[in-house]
Amino acid sequence: MDPHCKLLKAQSNIIQLIASGEQLEHILLAIVANIESMHEQLYGSILLYDPALDRLGNLISRSLPKQFKKNINYIDIGPYEGSCGAAAFLKQSVYVDDIQSDPLLKNYRNELHPFGIDACWSTPLLSTKGDLLGTFCLWFKEQCKLNLVKFAFELYNKLAAIAIQISATTKEIEMYHHKVSQPTTEFIDDVDDESLLKQLQIGIERDEFAVYYQPYFTLSTGQLGIEALLRWNHPYAGLLAPHAFLSIAEKTGFIVELEEWVLERSIKDAVKLLRSGVNLHSLSVNISAKQLENKSFPDFVHKLLQRYDFKPEYLTLEITERFLIQRENIDVLHTLKQIGIQISIDDFGTSYSSLNYLKDLPVDELKIDRSFISNMDQDMNKQKIVEMIILLGKQLDLTIVAEGVETEKELTLLKGMNCHAVQGYYFSKPIPFSTFKEKYT
Ligand code: C2E
Ligand code: CA
Ligand code: CA
């Protein structure tokens, strides 16, 4: 086939991939594969711009040698950061036809030499507004000035930029629709822990975190409570639910700072709701095991409550059942209880808690894990367990909350069992503060 016809056919294939909503990574890989098929001595690669870290990362490549890929996995942006860093910095194409003599590549020359790479071309990928999206790079194993390759390079540059922009827009739309139950994590799945921790730290500085609120209701009185649930407006991946980043935050200890932020933000929001006339009876905030190891935590909470003039009995701290095994954690709970704060055991039923063990804990509330509530109308065993937990709670003078109520049938059963309070998608998903305020004022 005539090379021009081949190129046109390849171009229309890429456009079809973009139009059919194919995953960004697959589209970019197809672009790299197409251009590599034009010349045997040629490698292609694409780097995406990471605005959180202000550098290039998330390398897309097909056939670059593994060791070489490691060297260019992340690239800083600047006039002497190789051809990609310079192209991103200057926002214009950079053609280096002889790596050995070009001063631009002086920092990378020795790294490139073992792979026999003589020349490289980099071009910035720009949005329609001119914002940096990434860079597209060709690496040549012999000096090569093929006009058709240059033509294809410019053509694919435009297609790659369109694909990245469409992918980002799709994510924004998803975010708008609050599709947080299946968060997009493809951009952060591949990132190592250290880099994610950095992104978390920058995220908090740049105010990328948000607290969503989910209501719960006391069945006998209709009294309203809210649970604060953390979200991360990730600059790439869109709105992320906690499971996408909490385990790293816990592992690195960053969770302590993050939870202090959640506490302050949610207390401020709860005060705003009370002032605007919302009949709010309780604010629940989730706390991790790491926080319970933090000796200054009770004092921190106490000061926050004083600063915002928020009554301690209006605040409930939810601690997951499995965290309560350690003796030291229980001591901290006693101190919190002395301040007047309510303590709730979250995900109750998922770990083993004997009756005797519960009796000695400074606890006010049990939250039955949603796995017992989900489809309980079709499962006698679940109904028996839930009923037993409610009876046990009554004996111990504990409030019982059923979480994850999704249907009217589940609600009717829980009412029949005299469950104290209910929470779940049947009433509302977690929603941003402004939406919550509008709905409940
Ligand atoms: P959780 O405390 O058990 O929170 C309830 C989770 O169940 C929330 O998920 C909520 O969106 C979801 N949910 C509520 N009702 C329903 C329902 O009817 N059906 C279904 N299928 N799901 C429902 P989310 O917001 O993704 O939070 C997940 C977990 O992340 C939370 O589980 C909590 O353990 C943790 N988390 C959230 N924010 C924080 C925080 O600030 N600190 C800590 N340590 N953990 C947090
Ligand atoms: Ca919870
Ligand atoms: Ca729970």
Side-chain angles (χ1 to χ4, degrees), residues 214 227-231 241-243 246 250 255 259 262 286-288 318 320 346-347 370 403-406 423-426 430:
Q214 188 180 31
E227 179 174 3
L229 293 157
L230 184 59
R231 297 290 179 267
H243 73 85
L246 267 194
E250 275 175 21
I255 188 82
E259 282 175 350
V262 174
N286 295 284
I287 294 299
S288 65
E318 295 189 5
T320 302
D346 205 351
D347 304 334
R370 69 167 187 267
E403 67 171 16
V405 180
E406 291 186 355
Q423 179 181 17
Y425 291 175
Y426 180 69

PDB file of all heavy atoms in Angstrom, residues 214 227-231 241-243 246 250 255 259 262 286-288 318 320 346-347 370 403-406 423-426 430, ligand 1:
ATOM      1  N   GLN A 214     -23.685  12.197  54.193  1.00  0.00           N
ATOM      2  CA  GLN A 214     -24.817  11.280  54.001  1.00  0.00           C
ATOM      3  C   GLN A 214     -25.689  11.349  55.258  1.00  0.00           C
ATOM      4  O   GLN A 214     -25.169  11.231  56.374  1.00  0.00           O
ATOM      5  CB  GLN A 214     -24.307   9.851  53.787  1.00  0.00           C
ATOM      6  CG  GLN A 214     -25.434   8.914  53.387  1.00  0.00           C
ATOM      7  CD  GLN A 214     -24.967   7.482  53.175  1.00  0.00           C
ATOM      8  OE1 GLN A 214     -24.037   7.018  53.812  1.00  0.00           O
ATOM      9  NE2 GLN A 214     -25.653   6.774  52.287  1.00  0.00           N
ATOM     10  N   GLU A 227     -23.229  11.824  58.324  1.00  0.00           N
ATOM     11  CA  GLU A 227     -21.896  11.220  58.375  1.00  0.00           C
ATOM     12  C   GLU A 227     -21.006  11.925  57.368  1.00  0.00           C
ATOM     13  O   GLU A 227     -21.395  12.135  56.213  1.00  0.00           O
ATOM     14  CB  GLU A 227     -21.950   9.721  58.060  1.00  0.00           C
ATOM     15  CG  GLU A 227     -20.543   9.107  58.103  1.00  0.00           C
ATOM     16  CD  GLU A 227     -20.513   7.585  57.940  1.00  0.00           C
ATOM     17  OE1 GLU A 227     -21.579   6.965  57.725  1.00  0.00           O
ATOM     18  OE2 GLU A 227     -19.397   7.028  58.021  1.00  0.00           O
ATOM     19  N   ALA A 228     -19.809  12.323  57.828  1.00  0.00           N
ATOM     20  CA  ALA A 228     -18.842  12.990  56.950  1.00  0.00           C
ATOM     21  C   ALA A 228     -18.021  11.924  56.234  1.00  0.00           C
ATOM     22  O   ALA A 228     -17.445  11.047  56.872  1.00  0.00           O
ATOM     23  CB  ALA A 228     -17.920  13.868  57.794  1.00  0.00           C
ATOM     24  N   LEU A 229     -17.999  11.977  54.895  1.00  0.00           N
ATOM     25  CA  LEU A 229     -17.239  10.994  54.115  1.00  0.00           C
ATOM     26  C   LEU A 229     -16.285  11.722  53.173  1.00  0.00           C
ATOM     27  O   LEU A 229     -16.685  12.601  52.416  1.00  0.00           O
ATOM     28  CB  LEU A 229     -18.200  10.079  53.348  1.00  0.00           C
ATOM     29  CG  LEU A 229     -19.028   9.163  54.273  1.00  0.00           C
ATOM     30  CD1 LEU A 229     -20.309   8.710  53.611  1.00  0.00           C
ATOM     31  CD2 LEU A 229     -18.198   7.976  54.739  1.00  0.00           C
ATOM     32  N   LEU A 230     -15.033  11.323  53.251  1.00  0.00           N
ATOM     33  CA  LEU A 230     -13.971  12.036  52.545  1.00  0.00           C
ATOM     34  C   LEU A 230     -13.973  11.737  51.048  1.00  0.00           C
ATOM     35  O   LEU A 230     -14.209  10.606  50.626  1.00  0.00           O
ATOM     36  CB  LEU A 230     -12.637  11.604  53.170  1.00  0.00           C
ATOM     37  CG  LEU A 230     -11.359  12.268  52.691  1.00  0.00           C
ATOM     38  CD1 LEU A 230     -11.406  13.768  52.899  1.00  0.00           C
ATOM     39  CD2 LEU A 230     -10.168  11.667  53.410  1.00  0.00           C
ATOM     40  N   ARG A 231     -13.680  12.754  50.241  1.00  0.00           N
ATOM     41  CA  ARG A 231     -13.511  12.600  48.792  1.00  0.00           C
ATOM     42  C   ARG A 231     -12.264  13.367  48.369  1.00  0.00           C
ATOM     43  O   ARG A 231     -11.880  14.340  49.018  1.00  0.00           O
ATOM     44  CB  ARG A 231     -14.703  13.190  48.027  1.00  0.00           C
ATOM     45  CG  ARG A 231     -16.025  12.507  48.303  1.00  0.00           C
ATOM     46  CD  ARG A 231     -16.054  11.118  47.701  1.00  0.00           C
ATOM     47  NE  ARG A 231     -17.293  10.416  47.951  1.00  0.00           N
ATOM     48  CZ  ARG A 231     -17.502   9.593  48.980  1.00  0.00           C
ATOM     49  NH1 ARG A 231     -16.565   9.404  49.879  1.00  0.00           N
ATOM     50  NH2 ARG A 231     -18.650   8.971  49.102  1.00  0.00           N
ATOM     51  N   ALA A 241     -13.270   8.127  45.678  1.00  0.00           N
ATOM     52  CA  ALA A 241     -13.801   7.694  46.968  1.00  0.00           C
ATOM     53  C   ALA A 241     -12.622   7.209  47.817  1.00  0.00           C
ATOM     54  O   ALA A 241     -11.555   6.901  47.287  1.00  0.00           O
ATOM     55  CB  ALA A 241     -14.821   6.588  46.753  1.00  0.00           C
ATOM     56  N   PRO A 242     -12.837   7.118  49.143  1.00  0.00           N
ATOM     57  CA  PRO A 242     -11.705   6.842  50.037  1.00  0.00           C
ATOM     58  C   PRO A 242     -10.922   5.565  49.727  1.00  0.00           C
ATOM     59  O   PRO A 242      -9.715   5.532  49.965  1.00  0.00           O
ATOM     60  CB  PRO A 242     -12.345   6.750  51.409  1.00  0.00           C
ATOM     61  CG  PRO A 242     -13.721   7.280  51.278  1.00  0.00           C
ATOM     62  CD  PRO A 242     -14.088   7.371  49.866  1.00  0.00           C
ATOM     63  N   HIS A 243     -11.560   4.521  49.218  1.00  0.00           N
ATOM     64  CA  HIS A 243     -10.812   3.268  49.065  1.00  0.00           C
ATOM     65  C   HIS A 243      -9.652   3.405  48.081  1.00  0.00           C
ATOM     66  O   HIS A 243      -8.715   2.614  48.099  1.00  0.00           O
ATOM     67  CB  HIS A 243     -11.728   2.102  48.676  1.00  0.00           C
ATOM     68  CG  HIS A 243     -12.199   2.155  47.259  1.00  0.00           C
ATOM     69  ND1 HIS A 243     -11.462   1.658  46.214  1.00  0.00           N
ATOM     70  CD2 HIS A 243     -13.305   2.679  46.715  1.00  0.00           C
ATOM     71  CE1 HIS A 243     -12.109   1.868  45.095  1.00  0.00           C
ATOM     72  NE2 HIS A 243     -13.232   2.483  45.374  1.00  0.00           N
ATOM     73  N   LEU A 246      -7.097   5.679  50.821  1.00  0.00           N
ATOM     74  CA  LEU A 246      -6.988   5.629  52.288  1.00  0.00           C
ATOM     75  C   LEU A 246      -5.926   4.659  52.790  1.00  0.00           C
ATOM     76  O   LEU A 246      -5.261   4.929  53.783  1.00  0.00           O
ATOM     77  CB  LEU A 246      -8.333   5.265  52.914  1.00  0.00           C
ATOM     78  CG  LEU A 246      -9.233   6.440  53.324  1.00  0.00           C
ATOM     79  CD1 LEU A 246     -10.341   5.952  54.219  1.00  0.00           C
ATOM     80  CD2 LEU A 246      -8.457   7.558  53.993  1.00  0.00           C
ATOM     81  N   GLU A 250      -3.121   5.562  55.367  1.00  0.00           N
ATOM     82  CA  GLU A 250      -2.984   4.877  56.659  1.00  0.00           C
ATOM     83  C   GLU A 250      -1.577   4.341  56.831  1.00  0.00           C
ATOM     84  O   GLU A 250      -0.951   4.503  57.883  1.00  0.00           O
ATOM     85  CB  GLU A 250      -3.993   3.722  56.760  1.00  0.00           C
ATOM     86  CG  GLU A 250      -5.353   4.187  57.236  1.00  0.00           C
ATOM     87  CD  GLU A 250      -6.403   3.074  57.227  1.00  0.00           C
ATOM     88  OE1 GLU A 250      -6.044   1.885  57.240  1.00  0.00           O
ATOM     89  OE2 GLU A 250      -7.600   3.408  57.171  1.00  0.00           O
ATOM     90  N   ILE A 255      -2.774   9.822  57.214  1.00  0.00           N
ATOM     91  CA  ILE A 255      -4.189   9.790  57.590  1.00  0.00           C
ATOM     92  C   ILE A 255      -4.475  10.703  58.796  1.00  0.00           C
ATOM     93  O   ILE A 255      -5.544  11.287  58.905  1.00  0.00           O
ATOM     94  CB  ILE A 255      -4.633   8.329  57.894  1.00  0.00           C
ATOM     95  CG1 ILE A 255      -6.136   8.198  58.109  1.00  0.00           C
ATOM     96  CG2 ILE A 255      -3.922   7.754  59.094  1.00  0.00           C
ATOM     97  CD1 ILE A 255      -6.920   8.106  56.877  1.00  0.00           C
ATOM     98  N   GLU A 259      -7.402  13.295  58.600  1.00  0.00           N
ATOM     99  CA  GLU A 259      -8.591  13.196  59.454  1.00  0.00           C
ATOM    100  C   GLU A 259      -8.792  14.448  60.310  1.00  0.00           C
ATOM    101  O   GLU A 259      -9.924  14.821  60.599  1.00  0.00           O
ATOM    102  CB  GLU A 259      -8.484  11.959  60.349  1.00  0.00           C
ATOM    103  CG  GLU A 259      -8.821  10.701  59.561  1.00  0.00           C
ATOM    104  CD  GLU A 259      -8.622   9.432  60.359  1.00  0.00           C
ATOM    105  OE1 GLU A 259      -8.048   9.500  61.465  1.00  0.00           O
ATOM    106  OE2 GLU A 259      -9.028   8.387  59.872  1.00  0.00           O
ATOM    107  N   VAL A 262     -10.569  16.638  58.005  1.00  0.00           N
ATOM    108  CA  VAL A 262     -11.982  16.241  57.865  1.00  0.00           C
ATOM    109  C   VAL A 262     -12.786  16.703  59.083  1.00  0.00           C
ATOM    110  O   VAL A 262     -13.879  17.252  58.953  1.00  0.00           O
ATOM    111  CB  VAL A 262     -12.127  14.699  57.701  1.00  0.00           C
ATOM    112  CG1 VAL A 262     -13.598  14.280  57.709  1.00  0.00           C
ATOM    113  CG2 VAL A 262     -11.473  14.222  56.418  1.00  0.00           C
ATOM    114  N   ASN A 286     -15.501   9.499  60.697  1.00  0.00           N
ATOM    115  CA  ASN A 286     -14.750   8.235  60.774  1.00  0.00           C
ATOM    116  C   ASN A 286     -13.310   8.475  61.241  1.00  0.00           C
ATOM    117  O   ASN A 286     -12.661   9.420  60.808  1.00  0.00           O
ATOM    118  CB  ASN A 286     -14.703   7.565  59.397  1.00  0.00           C
ATOM    119  CG  ASN A 286     -16.075   7.140  58.947  1.00  0.00           C
ATOM    120  OD1 ASN A 286     -16.611   6.149  59.418  1.00  0.00           O
ATOM    121  ND2 ASN A 286     -16.673   7.922  58.055  1.00  0.00           N
ATOM    122  N   ILE A 287     -12.846   7.580  62.107  1.00  0.00           N
ATOM    123  CA  ILE A 287     -11.502   7.720  62.666  1.00  0.00           C
ATOM    124  C   ILE A 287     -10.751   6.402  62.504  1.00  0.00           C
ATOM    125  O   ILE A 287     -11.303   5.336  62.746  1.00  0.00           O
ATOM    126  CB  ILE A 287     -11.614   8.088  64.176  1.00  0.00           C
ATOM    127  CG1 ILE A 287     -12.243   9.465  64.348  1.00  0.00           C
ATOM    128  CG2 ILE A 287     -10.275   8.026  64.872  1.00  0.00           C
ATOM    129  CD1 ILE A 287     -11.476  10.593  63.713  1.00  0.00           C
ATOM    130  N   SER A 288      -9.486   6.490  62.106  1.00  0.00           N
ATOM    131  CA  SER A 288      -8.704   5.271  61.879  1.00  0.00           C
ATOM    132  C   SER A 288      -7.911   4.871  63.124  1.00  0.00           C
ATOM    133  O   SER A 288      -7.786   5.645  64.076  1.00  0.00           O
ATOM    134  CB  SER A 288      -7.726   5.523  60.741  1.00  0.00           C
ATOM    135  OG  SER A 288      -6.812   6.505  61.162  1.00  0.00           O
ATOM    136  N   GLU A 318     -16.669   7.451  64.644  1.00  0.00           N
ATOM    137  CA  GLU A 318     -16.903   6.053  64.242  1.00  0.00           C
ATOM    138  C   GLU A 318     -15.568   5.337  64.107  1.00  0.00           C
ATOM    139  O   GLU A 318     -14.687   5.795  63.379  1.00  0.00           O
ATOM    140  CB  GLU A 318     -17.637   6.009  62.900  1.00  0.00           C
ATOM    141  CG  GLU A 318     -19.029   6.599  62.969  1.00  0.00           C
ATOM    142  CD  GLU A 318     -19.832   6.343  61.693  1.00  0.00           C
ATOM    143  OE1 GLU A 318     -19.346   5.632  60.788  1.00  0.00           O
ATOM    144  OE2 GLU A 318     -20.955   6.859  61.617  1.00  0.00           O
ATOM    145  N   THR A 320     -13.838   1.588  63.263  1.00  0.00           N
ATOM    146  CA  THR A 320     -14.132   0.264  62.728  1.00  0.00           C
ATOM    147  C   THR A 320     -13.831  -0.808  63.761  1.00  0.00           C
ATOM    148  O   THR A 320     -12.814  -0.732  64.466  1.00  0.00           O
ATOM    149  CB  THR A 320     -13.329   0.045  61.433  1.00  0.00           C
ATOM    150  OG1 THR A 320     -13.695   1.092  60.552  1.00  0.00           O
ATOM    151  CG2 THR A 320     -13.626  -1.272  60.796  1.00  0.00           C
ATOM    152  N   ASP A 346     -18.134   1.008  63.988  1.00  0.00           N
ATOM    153  CA  ASP A 346     -18.532   0.927  62.575  1.00  0.00           C
ATOM    154  C   ASP A 346     -18.352  -0.503  62.071  1.00  0.00           C
ATOM    155  O   ASP A 346     -17.588  -1.274  62.640  1.00  0.00           O
ATOM    156  CB  ASP A 346     -17.618   1.881  61.791  1.00  0.00           C
ATOM    157  CG  ASP A 346     -18.249   2.350  60.510  1.00  0.00           C
ATOM    158  OD1 ASP A 346     -19.309   1.832  60.126  1.00  0.00           O
ATOM    159  OD2 ASP A 346     -17.664   3.258  59.874  1.00  0.00           O
ATOM    160  N   ASP A 347     -19.045  -0.825  60.995  1.00  0.00           N
ATOM    161  CA  ASP A 347     -18.928  -2.140  60.328  1.00  0.00           C
ATOM    162  C   ASP A 347     -19.142  -3.269  61.333  1.00  0.00           C
ATOM    163  O   ASP A 347     -18.481  -4.320  61.249  1.00  0.00           O
ATOM    164  CB  ASP A 347     -17.546  -2.307  59.659  1.00  0.00           C
ATOM    165  CG  ASP A 347     -17.250  -1.180  58.680  1.00  0.00           C
ATOM    166  OD1 ASP A 347     -18.210  -0.587  58.149  1.00  0.00           O
ATOM    167  OD2 ASP A 347     -16.062  -0.879  58.456  1.00  0.00           O
ATOM    168  N   ARG A 370     -23.157  -2.988  56.373  1.00  0.00           N
ATOM    169  CA  ARG A 370     -24.192  -3.029  55.340  1.00  0.00           C
ATOM    170  C   ARG A 370     -24.312  -4.390  54.650  1.00  0.00           C
ATOM    171  O   ARG A 370     -25.322  -4.673  54.034  1.00  0.00           O
ATOM    172  CB  ARG A 370     -23.997  -1.914  54.329  1.00  0.00           C
ATOM    173  CG  ARG A 370     -22.824  -2.008  53.436  1.00  0.00           C
ATOM    174  CD  ARG A 370     -23.012  -0.988  52.309  1.00  0.00           C
ATOM    175  NE  ARG A 370     -21.970  -1.154  51.318  1.00  0.00           N
ATOM    176  CZ  ARG A 370     -20.828  -0.476  51.316  1.00  0.00           C
ATOM    177  NH1 ARG A 370     -20.605   0.424  52.223  1.00  0.00           N
ATOM    178  NH2 ARG A 370     -19.932  -0.699  50.388  1.00  0.00           N
ATOM    179  N   GLU A 403     -26.749   0.508  58.454  1.00  0.00           N
ATOM    180  CA  GLU A 403     -26.260   1.270  57.297  1.00  0.00           C
ATOM    181  C   GLU A 403     -26.471   0.465  56.016  1.00  0.00           C
ATOM    182  O   GLU A 403     -26.644  -0.748  56.052  1.00  0.00           O
ATOM    183  CB  GLU A 403     -24.789   1.657  57.474  1.00  0.00           C
ATOM    184  CG  GLU A 403     -23.853   0.488  57.464  1.00  0.00           C
ATOM    185  CD  GLU A 403     -22.386   0.909  57.427  1.00  0.00           C
ATOM    186  OE1 GLU A 403     -22.053   2.061  57.706  1.00  0.00           O
ATOM    187  OE2 GLU A 403     -21.566   0.027  57.119  1.00  0.00           O
ATOM    188  N   GLY A 404     -26.499   1.174  54.896  1.00  0.00           N
ATOM    189  CA  GLY A 404     -26.658   0.486  53.607  1.00  0.00           C
ATOM    190  C   GLY A 404     -28.088   0.087  53.296  1.00  0.00           C
ATOM    191  O   GLY A 404     -28.321  -0.892  52.590  1.00  0.00           O
ATOM    192  N   VAL A 405     -29.070   0.840  53.843  1.00  0.00           N
ATOM    193  CA  VAL A 405     -30.477   0.545  53.537  1.00  0.00           C
ATOM    194  C   VAL A 405     -30.761   1.050  52.119  1.00  0.00           C
ATOM    195  O   VAL A 405     -30.587   2.235  51.835  1.00  0.00           O
ATOM    196  CB  VAL A 405     -31.421   1.249  54.543  1.00  0.00           C
ATOM    197  CG1 VAL A 405     -32.876   0.944  54.219  1.00  0.00           C
ATOM    198  CG2 VAL A 405     -31.068   0.850  55.958  1.00  0.00           C
ATOM    199  N   GLU A 406     -31.152   0.129  51.247  1.00  0.00           N
ATOM    200  CA  GLU A 406     -31.349   0.520  49.845  1.00  0.00           C
ATOM    201  C   GLU A 406     -32.787   0.371  49.375  1.00  0.00           C
ATOM    202  O   GLU A 406     -33.157   0.936  48.346  1.00  0.00           O
ATOM    203  CB  GLU A 406     -30.425  -0.303  48.940  1.00  0.00           C
ATOM    204  CG  GLU A 406     -28.959   0.054  49.124  1.00  0.00           C
ATOM    205  CD  GLU A 406     -28.038  -0.633  48.139  1.00  0.00           C
ATOM    206  OE1 GLU A 406     -28.507  -1.473  47.348  1.00  0.00           O
ATOM    207  OE2 GLU A 406     -26.824  -0.326  48.158  1.00  0.00           O
ATOM    208  N   GLN A 423     -29.622   4.424  57.668  1.00  0.00           N
ATOM    209  CA  GLN A 423     -28.818   5.231  56.739  1.00  0.00           C
ATOM    210  C   GLN A 423     -28.658   4.409  55.469  1.00  0.00           C
ATOM    211  O   GLN A 423     -28.569   3.189  55.525  1.00  0.00           O
ATOM    212  CB  GLN A 423     -27.438   5.463  57.371  1.00  0.00           C
ATOM    213  CG  GLN A 423     -26.461   6.262  56.526  1.00  0.00           C
ATOM    214  CD  GLN A 423     -25.098   6.412  57.227  1.00  0.00           C
ATOM    215  OE1 GLN A 423     -24.793   5.683  58.173  1.00  0.00           O
ATOM    216  NE2 GLN A 423     -24.292   7.333  56.756  1.00  0.00           N
ATOM    217  N   GLY A 424     -28.641   5.061  54.325  1.00  0.00           N
ATOM    218  CA  GLY A 424     -28.406   4.303  53.083  1.00  0.00           C
ATOM    219  C   GLY A 424     -28.899   5.031  51.850  1.00  0.00           C
ATOM    220  O   GLY A 424     -29.517   6.096  51.931  1.00  0.00           O
ATOM    221  N   TYR A 425     -28.584   4.436  50.698  1.00  0.00           N
ATOM    222  CA  TYR A 425     -28.954   5.046  49.422  1.00  0.00           C
ATOM    223  C   TYR A 425     -30.465   5.228  49.274  1.00  0.00           C
ATOM    224  O   TYR A 425     -30.910   6.044  48.480  1.00  0.00           O
ATOM    225  CB  TYR A 425     -28.441   4.192  48.258  1.00  0.00           C
ATOM    226  CG  TYR A 425     -26.929   4.184  48.083  1.00  0.00           C
ATOM    227  CD1 TYR A 425     -26.332   3.365  47.124  1.00  0.00           C
ATOM    228  CD2 TYR A 425     -26.109   5.005  48.855  1.00  0.00           C
ATOM    229  CE1 TYR A 425     -24.949   3.355  46.952  1.00  0.00           C
ATOM    230  CE2 TYR A 425     -24.733   4.988  48.690  1.00  0.00           C
ATOM    231  CZ  TYR A 425     -24.157   4.164  47.745  1.00  0.00           C
ATOM    232  OH  TYR A 425     -22.795   4.153  47.570  1.00  0.00           O
ATOM    233  N   TYR A 426     -31.250   4.441  50.024  1.00  0.00           N
ATOM    234  CA  TYR A 426     -32.710   4.586  49.945  1.00  0.00           C
ATOM    235  C   TYR A 426     -33.105   6.029  50.298  1.00  0.00           C
ATOM    236  O   TYR A 426     -34.041   6.583  49.737  1.00  0.00           O
ATOM    237  CB  TYR A 426     -33.390   3.600  50.906  1.00  0.00           C
ATOM    238  CG  TYR A 426     -34.904   3.694  50.890  1.00  0.00           C
ATOM    239  CD1 TYR A 426     -35.627   3.287  49.778  1.00  0.00           C
ATOM    240  CD2 TYR A 426     -35.599   4.212  51.990  1.00  0.00           C
ATOM    241  CE1 TYR A 426     -37.010   3.386  49.751  1.00  0.00           C
ATOM    242  CE2 TYR A 426     -36.981   4.305  51.974  1.00  0.00           C
ATOM    243  CZ  TYR A 426     -37.678   3.896  50.854  1.00  0.00           C
ATOM    244  OH  TYR A 426     -39.046   3.993  50.825  1.00  0.00           O
ATOM    245  N   PRO A 430     -24.075   9.865  49.680  1.00  0.00           N
ATOM    246  CA  PRO A 430     -23.310  11.004  50.197  1.00  0.00           C
ATOM    247  C   PRO A 430     -23.294  12.126  49.144  1.00  0.00           C
ATOM    248  O   PRO A 430     -23.107  11.842  47.961  1.00  0.00           O
ATOM    249  CB  PRO A 430     -21.896  10.433  50.386  1.00  0.00           C
ATOM    250  CG  PRO A 430     -22.073   8.951  50.438  1.00  0.00           C
ATOM    251  CD  PRO A 430     -23.243   8.650  49.564  1.00  0.00           C
TER     252      PRO A 430
HETATM  253  P1  C2E B   1     -18.162   3.535  56.051  1.00  0.00           P
HETATM  254  O1  C2E B   1     -17.807   4.379  57.216  1.00  0.00           O
HETATM  255  O2  C2E B   1     -18.753   2.209  56.303  1.00  0.00           O
HETATM  256  O3  C2E B   1     -19.085   4.479  55.190  1.00  0.00           O
HETATM  257  C1  C2E B   1     -20.196   4.051  54.496  1.00  0.00           C
HETATM  258  C2  C2E B   1     -19.840   3.773  53.070  1.00  0.00           C
HETATM  259  O4  C2E B   1     -20.927   3.064  52.494  1.00  0.00           O
HETATM  260  C3  C2E B   1     -19.687   5.042  52.252  1.00  0.00           C
HETATM  261  O5  C2E B   1     -18.747   4.773  51.230  1.00  0.00           O
HETATM  262  C4  C2E B   1     -21.058   5.214  51.646  1.00  0.00           C
HETATM  263  O6  C2E B   1     -21.039   5.906  50.423  1.00  0.00           O
HETATM  264  C5  C2E B   1     -21.470   3.790  51.427  1.00  0.00           C
HETATM  265  N1  C2E B   1     -22.922   3.621  51.489  1.00  0.00           N
HETATM  266  C6  C2E B   1     -23.781   4.309  52.225  1.00  0.00           C
HETATM  267  N2  C2E B   1     -25.039   3.888  52.022  1.00  0.00           N
HETATM  268  C7  C2E B   1     -24.958   2.893  51.122  1.00  0.00           C
HETATM  269  C8  C2E B   1     -25.940   2.048  50.484  1.00  0.00           C
HETATM  270  O7  C2E B   1     -27.153   2.127  50.709  1.00  0.00           O
HETATM  271  N3  C2E B   1     -25.483   1.121  49.604  1.00  0.00           N
HETATM  272  C9  C2E B   1     -24.162   1.008  49.318  1.00  0.00           C
HETATM  273  N4  C2E B   1     -23.811   0.077  48.426  1.00  0.00           N
HETATM  274  N5  C2E B   1     -23.216   1.784  49.889  1.00  0.00           N
HETATM  275  C10 C2E B   1     -23.618   2.720  50.784  1.00  0.00           C
HETATM  276  P2  C2E B   1     -17.511   5.715  51.010  1.00  0.00           P
HETATM  277  O8  C2E B   1     -17.909   7.120  51.171  1.00  0.00           O
HETATM  278  O9  C2E B   1     -16.892   5.235  49.755  1.00  0.00           O
HETATM  279  O10 C2E B   1     -16.583   5.378  52.211  1.00  0.00           O
HETATM  280  C11 C2E B   1     -15.955   4.156  52.304  1.00  0.00           C
HETATM  281  C12 C2E B   1     -15.232   4.054  53.604  1.00  0.00           C
HETATM  282  O11 C2E B   1     -14.134   4.956  53.644  1.00  0.00           O
HETATM  283  C13 C2E B   1     -16.085   4.407  54.787  1.00  0.00           C
HETATM  284  O12 C2E B   1     -16.879   3.323  55.097  1.00  0.00           O
HETATM  285  C14 C2E B   1     -15.030   4.701  55.830  1.00  0.00           C
HETATM  286  O13 C2E B   1     -14.564   3.498  56.412  1.00  0.00           O
HETATM  287  C15 C2E B   1     -13.887   5.273  55.004  1.00  0.00           C
HETATM  288  N6  C2E B   1     -13.836   6.731  55.184  1.00  0.00           N
HETATM  289  C16 C2E B   1     -14.521   7.717  54.576  1.00  0.00           C
HETATM  290  N7  C2E B   1     -14.143   8.937  55.031  1.00  0.00           N
HETATM  291  C17 C2E B   1     -13.204   8.711  55.978  1.00  0.00           C
HETATM  292  C18 C2E B   1     -12.418   9.540  56.860  1.00  0.00           C
HETATM  293  O14 C2E B   1     -12.523  10.776  56.904  1.00  0.00           O
HETATM  294  N8  C2E B   1     -11.546   8.899  57.700  1.00  0.00           N
HETATM  295  C19 C2E B   1     -11.425   7.523  57.709  1.00  0.00           C
HETATM  296  N9  C2E B   1     -10.588   6.961  58.532  1.00  0.00           N
HETATM  297  N10 C2E B   1     -12.146   6.741  56.924  1.00  0.00           N
HETATM  298  C20 C2E B   1     -13.021   7.312  56.069  1.00  0.00           C
END
